[in-house]
Amino acid sequence: MRRRRGPAWAEQTPTWRAARPALIADALKRASARPSGNWFVAGASRDVRPGRPCGRTVGGVEVVLWRSESGDLRAGPGACPHLGAPLRKSRVVCGTLVCHWHGLALDGGAFAGWQPYPVHDDGVLVWVRLDAVGGEEPSERPVVPARPAPGTGVDAVFTAAGRCEPQDVVANRLDPWHGSWFHPYSFVDLTVVREPQGGEGADEDDAFVVDVSFRVAGRLVVPVRAEFTAPEPRTVVMRITDGEGAPSVVETHATPLTAADTDRPRTAVIEAVVAASERRGFALARAAAPVLRPLMRGTAGRLWRDDLAYAERRWELRSTGRFPG
């Protein structure tokens, strides 16, 4: 739709009174208390391709992922148990990981002290369970948000990293009030119509509900209603519940890259966008998915250029005892 000419950026209604630090902190505290089962998002499913290993570092732990001959996901420590070669640079032969230093072969089972990690491939993202990093009671499966039915959407995964901790990324997403101020190139007319309800039964109604218009070009906008929830400590989900694009979801996953006790933490933002629409013409978008994915990643990247600055600034203030409140 074409938006009527609204107030200029400086003429918007200020949102700082509504964005109460205690409200955001309480929402973050509730999210941090939910179980993750020690599961961490390692990247996009399509990043782990047949025939080649994929290396990641999660919580200071070097991890290698690859696919078996049947396409099943495998993962384990990233150092060869023989002399420590970097397995991410090795080869996958007929579904077996073969070290490029001396030819030691790993089929995904335990061998010479090398123990595999539990993994999960949800079709969009790959997860690895690291019990020593998570320190929680392990669970059989990660907390995967509900998404549009398989085959009905177009998914794209954007990844970036910043000097902060996962909680700083999550706190950014639990502050919807910054949207039209900090991202005027993407959002206008943003109103938080419902805040999370703390206390008894908070998990059932712990959501920010937002009315916002996504800017397409100039005065052309798409108004929607969206809901923000945090199903586990390192994930925030934005779900479009009404308007064009329902029931699309944007999942923001914050994966620590460094160990918890480091003085200079780094965190990866792994954001999965699963776009869907009930319009009949959306089938054309699905057919053009390879073309759309770079555009979707580019849009996410523009937002995270600013939002990582927000998260990094939050960590800088927290780490030096200057954070308000």
Side-chain angles (χ1 to χ4, degrees):
M1 64 173 285
R2 189 172 179 81
R3 175 180 179 253
R4 293 182 179 180
R5 193 174 299 279
W9 179 85
E11 296 171 351
Q12 300 179 88
T13 301
T15 58
W16 65 269
R17 288 186 177 88
R20 304 185 300 282
L23 175 63
I24 298 170
D26 286 347
L28 177 62
K29 183 177 180 180
R30 291 192 298 273
S32 299
R34 296 182 181 118
S36 72
N38 302 327
W39 289 92
F40 298 85
V41 171
S45 294
R46 59 177 61 90
D47 287 346
V48 189
R49 304 175 185 177
R52 64 176 66 179
C54 177
R56 292 290 186 268
T57 300
V58 178
V61 175
E62 189 179 2
V63 177
V64 63
L65 304 100
W66 77 97
R67 294 196 183 276
S68 70
E69 199 165 16
S70 62
D72 293 335
L73 189 65
R74 300 281 188 263
C80 179
H82 174 224
L83 283 176
L87 292 173
R88 69 183 182 278
K89 295 184 178 180
S90 294
R91 299 184 182 183
V92 176
V93 180
C94 298
T96 297
L97 183 62
V98 181
C99 178
H100 63 303
W101 279 14
H102 301 93
L104 185 145
L106 298 166
D107 62 6
F111 181 82
W114 187 95
Q115 292 289 334
Y117 297 135
V119 288
H120 181 75
D121 186 345
D122 64 30
V124 177
L125 299 169
V126 291
W127 305 66
V128 59
R129 198 183 83 196
L130 299 173
D131 295 337
V133 176
E136 300 178 16
E137 184 71 24
S139 62
E140 185 177 351
R141 289 288 182 267
V143 181
V144 179
R147 297 173 181 150
T152 64
V154 176
D155 66 271
V157 179
F158 169 80
T159 302
R163 191 166 301 288
C164 60
E165 294 178 324
Q167 65 156 294
D168 302 302
V169 172
V170 173
N172 169 270
R173 280 297 184 257
L174 296 179
D175 168 19
W177 293 278
H178 77 269
S180 57
W181 283 99
F182 204 33
H183 308 295
Y185 47 82
S186 290
F187 306 120
V188 292
D189 305 327
L190 188 151
T191 303
V192 177
V193 297
R194 196 181 79 208
E195 299 172 354
Q197 305 299 307
E200 190 72 23
D203 282 356
E204 285 72 39
D205 200 23
D206 199 0
F208 291 93
V209 179
V210 175
D211 285 342
V212 63
S213 291
F214 291 96
R215 192 187 293 276
V216 178
R219 290 165 61 189
L220 186 63
V221 298
V222 178
V224 302
R225 174 161 287 188
E227 181 180 276
F228 290 78
T229 57
E232 57 109 81
R234 293 176 292 275
T235 300
V236 177
V237 180
M238 185 203 76
R239 189 179 313 280
I240 296 179
T241 58
D242 191 34
E244 183 64 43
S248 301
V249 299
V250 177
E251 301 172 14
T252 303
H253 301 273
T255 297
L257 301 178
T258 48
D261 58 355
T262 184
D263 292 333
R264 298 178 65 81
R266 286 185 63 79
T267 295
V269 174
I270 303 173
E271 188 159 274
V273 181
V274 185
S277 175
E278 296 178 354
R279 288 183 179 268
R280 292 185 351 190
F282 190 72
L284 295 175
R286 291 199 302 272
V291 176
L292 288 177
R293 286 192 181 105
L295 298 176
M296 293 164 70
R297 288 194 294 268
T299 299
R302 189 178 186 189
L303 289 171
W304 275 108
R305 177 193 61 196
D306 293 333
D307 280 337
L308 268 176
Y310 178 126
E312 290 178 329
R313 174 66 173 174
R314 187 179 188 275
W315 174 79
E316 178 188 355
L317 295 177
R318 286 194 308 105
S319 65
T320 55
R322 295 181 290 145
F323 190 71

